[in-house]
């Protein structure tokens, strides 16, 4: 699956148009959980003239995927967003709380 992303820059637009739907269908065969990280610039961003103070990363689910975890870093903070298929992951709130608790434990263990 990782090779597809690496090769995407080397495929012409027609290849994307024809191969995209096929790759999307095959994605559910390769994995059912998506984890992605998108670092943002360390400089302060503005939206409509107002400073951006937090970000809420979002990764959409492909058909057949159960959970998507998106992580972004912005100005020294880590922000994450969770998206789930309600049937496959009916207790997303429990997962979100556990994730928060484990991150806090990790921060404490690292002495920060």
């Amino acid at each position: 699956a990782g090779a597809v992303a690496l090769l995407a820059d080397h495929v012409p637009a027609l290849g994307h148009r024809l191969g995209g739907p096929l790759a999307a269908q095959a994605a559910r065969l390769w994995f059912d959980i998506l984890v992605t990280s998108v670092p943002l610039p360390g400089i302060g961003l503005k939206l409509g003239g107002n400073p951006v103070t937090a970000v809420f990363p979002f990764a959409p689910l492909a058909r057949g995927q159960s959970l998507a975890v998106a992580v972004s870093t912005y100005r020294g903070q880590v922000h994450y967003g969770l998206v789930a298929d309600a049937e496959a992951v009916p207790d997303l709130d429990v997962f979100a709380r556990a994730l928060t608790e484990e991150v806090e434990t990790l921060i404490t263990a690292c002495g920060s």
Side-chain angles (χ1 to χ4, degrees):
V4 173
L6 292 174
L7 295 174
D9 290 339
H10 304 288
V11 176
L14 180 60
H16 283 277
R17 182 171 296 271
L18 297 175
L22 293 174
Q25 290 297 322
R28 65 187 161 135
L29 300 174
W30 291 336
F31 53 90
D32 59 356
I33 297 175
L34 169 70
V35 179
T36 185
S37 174
V38 180
L40 296 172
I43 61 170
L45 300 175
K46 291 189 176 191
L47 182 63
N50 298 303
V52 174
T53 58
V55 295
F56 299 92
F58 174 80
L61 293 176
R63 183 176 295 138
Q65 291 181 340
S66 302
L67 175 66
V69 180
V71 180
S72 289
T73 56
Y74 178 64
R75 302 198 71 173
Q77 294 185 341
V78 177
H79 305 269
Y80 61 90
L82 305 172
V83 178
D85 176 336
E87 289 183 23
V89 186
D91 53 356
L92 184 62
D93 58 330
V94 174
F95 177 70
R97 277 195 306 277
L99 180 61
T100 300
E101 290 170 4
E102 290 303 316
V103 168
E104 289 171 357
T105 300
L106 182 61
I107 290 169
T108 301
C110 291
S112 298

